[in-house]
Amino acid sequence: MTAEPNGEKLSAVQDVFIARQPIFNASNRRVAYELLYRESRHATTSGGVSSNVMCSDTALHAVVSIGLDRLTNGSIAFVNLTREHLVGDLHRIFDPSSVVLELLETIDGEADVVEACERAVNNGYVLALDDYDGRPSLDVLLPYASIIKLDVLGKTVDQLRPQVQRLLDRGLTVLAERVETPEMHALCMELGCTMFQGYVFSRPETMNGRSLSVDQTTMLHIVSLLGDPLESDDTLADAFRSHPSLSVALLRIVNAASFGSRMVESIPHAIRLVGRDALSRSLLVMLVTSIGSTSPIAGETVAHALVRARFCELLSLRSGDGDASARFLVGLLSRLDMLLGEPIEQVVTRMPVSDDVRAALLEGTGPHAHVLALAKAYESGQWAVVDECLSAIGAELRDLAPMYGEATQWASERLLG
């Protein structure tokens, strides 16, 4: 409820979408996340308060209530600010050490904006200018900015070189955004950009030719055996015994589960205690986590896969729609093409998945497809698609941001473990 000047109460639905996109340095290590948020289409205006101000305030406070640590795993967060955010000092709800204030391209160099930038910098905040286009009216903001984001999509070297050099000469860090090809990534590095954001980091070919270790191949084999009801526990036990490290992993899984004081008598006993579905899930999480240790980008993709898997599962649990375990699997497997550097069709042929899971991954159809589509749209900030998918799954708009925060925290705990 928001009070109007005459004392009446204003009703507003305070629902927001909040997602994140990784930002990498020149060594392909993730150094920050940009937080993407958008207010619900149902938000209202009244009492002379614009929807921009009201919903921006809601979005910032939603980030705080969910918790930056849950969304970014302790990394720096690039937080988008409108002019109203900045001038109204709404960013003061953040610890300066935890954020970069990203001034949206709609902001210009008016006097009150310059004063707000000076206040922010004096208070210890780092400022970035988004979608910088070089217009003269922004020159007065450059002394307060530390990072300049350039949209490089479709740009030529002749267009980029003088702009990047001018910024570098001023001692500014240049972040290339919308980097979609390896060639553009290489060009931006050559020009002196040191931070990067874009689709190039989500393409399978960036890690083409990845091979699985012996243990990883064995995990895939055991997952296949677990999915076959005709395979006996003894056959599964033999597969574990052939690789001691996986036997140890099985015992850790048992110890992590809630079985009271029951002692594990054998590997088949451990398999029966955990259950095949739970064991298959744990092994798949172990598999993608182990692949993620091979490179910084792979590690970020693993985090993405775990977040997506848990988010899909939470969407199903919260709405009561469909098989939550299957949705977890769909979310997890949907990123294995990136990790393994091979088409998703080849990945799926190696997995003992149901026809419904296969249909969601390969064709975008079936009972799990709308949940996967919602997760993908949410992650990339395609909010119109999110709106469409919500009606199909029956989820509540207000639940999405907290669920996404819970999913990122869950993934972080698995990676730390």
Side-chain angles (χ1 to χ4, degrees):
M1 303 292 285
T2 302
E4 292 188 357
N6 61 10
E8 294 181 5
K9 294 294 183 180
L10 161 68
S11 176
V13 179
Q14 300 201 359
D15 296 328
V16 291
F17 300 119
I18 300 173
R20 65 182 191 177
Q21 290 183 350
I23 295 171
F24 296 86
N25 65 11
S27 301
N28 288 338
R29 294 189 178 278
R30 188 254 300 153
V31 292
Y33 286 108
E34 179 182 356
L35 298 186
L36 307 175
Y37 55 79
R38 193 214 74 179
E39 73 282 1
S40 160
R41 66 187 183 281
H42 303 301
T44 61
T45 63
S46 183
V49 180
S50 71
S51 60
N52 186 313
V53 174
M54 177 165 39
C55 296
S56 295
D57 180 72
T58 300
L60 286 179
H61 282 86
V63 171
V64 173
S65 64
I66 293 168
L68 279 180
D69 283 346
R70 297 179 73 185
L71 288 169
T72 66
N73 302 333
S75 292
I76 294 294
F78 277 58
V79 179
N80 295 330
L81 295 187
T82 65
R83 185 181 185 281
E84 287 78 6
H85 282 150
L86 178 66
V87 174
D89 288 340
L90 293 182
H91 54 273
R92 295 293 297 274
I93 60 179
F94 297 117
D95 181 340
S97 66
S98 67
V99 298
V100 169
L101 305 181
E102 184 173 331
L103 311 189
L104 294 179
E105 65 274 13
T106 52
I107 293 178
D108 224 324
E110 297 97 343
D112 55 350
V113 170
V114 174
E115 291 173 4
C117 288
E118 184 175 12
R119 284 197 307 272
V121 171
N122 288 340
N123 287 321
Y125 290 95
V126 173
L127 303 187
L129 300 187
D130 186 31
D131 282 344
Y132 178 76
D133 57 10
R135 62 184 185 270
S137 59
L138 294 177
D139 286 349
V140 293
L141 301 184
L142 292 180
Y144 303 102
S146 299
I147 301 169
I148 306 297
K149 297 185 74 173
L150 291 182
D151 184 344
V152 301
L153 183 63
K155 302 290 179 59
T156 67
V157 61
D158 291 336
Q159 291 172 312
L160 289 172
R161 189 185 300 279
Q163 193 171 29
V164 172
Q165 192 58 54
R166 175 173 175 258
L167 296 170
L168 294 177
D169 288 344
R170 299 187 68 130
L172 295 165
T173 296
V174 181
L175 189 161
E177 61 179 341
R178 299 183 73 190
V179 181
E180 298 204 348
T181 66
E183 292 77 17
M184 179 56 78
H185 185 225
L187 171 61
C188 291
M189 287 190 66
E190 177 189 336
L191 293 177
C193 301
T194 53
M195 300 179 77
F196 307 89
Q197 185 177 5
Y199 185 55
V200 67
F201 298 104
S202 297
R203 289 182 182 272
E205 55 264 33
T206 61
M207 286 179 282
N208 195 30
R210 185 173 310 289
S211 59
L212 295 180
S213 69
V214 174
D215 276 357
Q216 290 165 347
T217 303
T218 302
M219 284 186 217
L220 276 177
H221 174 61
I222 293 176
V223 168
S224 179
L225 294 177
L226 287 165
D228 186 347
L230 299 180
E231 294 290 352
S232 68
D233 287 351
D234 288 338
T235 301
L236 285 167
D238 287 341
F240 275 100
R241 290 190 191 101
S242 65
H243 290 82
S245 62
L246 293 184
S247 296
V248 172
L250 173 59
L251 295 178
R252 287 177 177 169
I253 292 170
V254 173
N255 289 334
S258 299
F259 298 117
S261 59
R262 298 181 64 180
M263 301 296 293
V264 176
E265 299 171 358
S266 63
I267 290 179
H269 183 217
I271 294 169
R272 289 192 296 272
L273 279 176
V274 177
R276 294 193 177 204
D277 287 344
L279 184 54
S280 178
R281 170 186 170 129
S282 296
L283 287 176
L284 282 171
V285 170
M286 287 173 56
L287 173 64
V288 298
T289 303
S290 65
I291 298 172
S293 65
T294 58
S295 79
I297 294 179
E300 183 58 31
T301 304
V302 165
H304 188 184
L306 293 177
V307 171
R308 180 183 288 179
R310 182 60 173 162
F311 190 45
C312 288
E313 182 178 44
L314 289 173
L315 283 167
S316 301
L317 291 172
R318 194 68 52 88
S319 66
D321 167 74
D323 183 344
S325 295
R327 270 49 180 303
F328 179 92
L329 183 62
V330 166
L332 193 69
L333 296 184
S334 68
R335 297 297 287 156
L336 273 189
D337 57 341
M338 171 62 175
L339 285 168
L340 299 179
E342 60 186 33
I344 190 65
E345 293 82 4
Q346 293 183 27
V347 174
V348 172
T349 60
R350 299 161 67 179
M351 296 287 182
V353 298
S354 68
D355 290 340
D356 287 342
V357 170
R358 190 182 306 273
L361 292 169
L362 300 185
E363 303 164 10
T365 60
H368 309 314
H370 55 288
V371 175
L372 180 59
L374 173 55
K376 288 181 176 180
Y378 192 97
E379 294 162 355
S380 59
Q382 298 177 14
W383 307 128
V385 179
V386 171
D387 288 339
E388 294 172 7
C389 293
L390 276 171
S391 59
I393 192 176
E396 291 290 334
L397 197 64
R398 65 180 59 88
D399 291 334
L400 293 186
M403 277 192 285
Y404 190 75
E406 183 177 340
T408 58
Q409 184 178 30
W410 181 91
S412 177
E413 290 169 353
R414 295 318 177 270
L415 291 171
L416 289 174

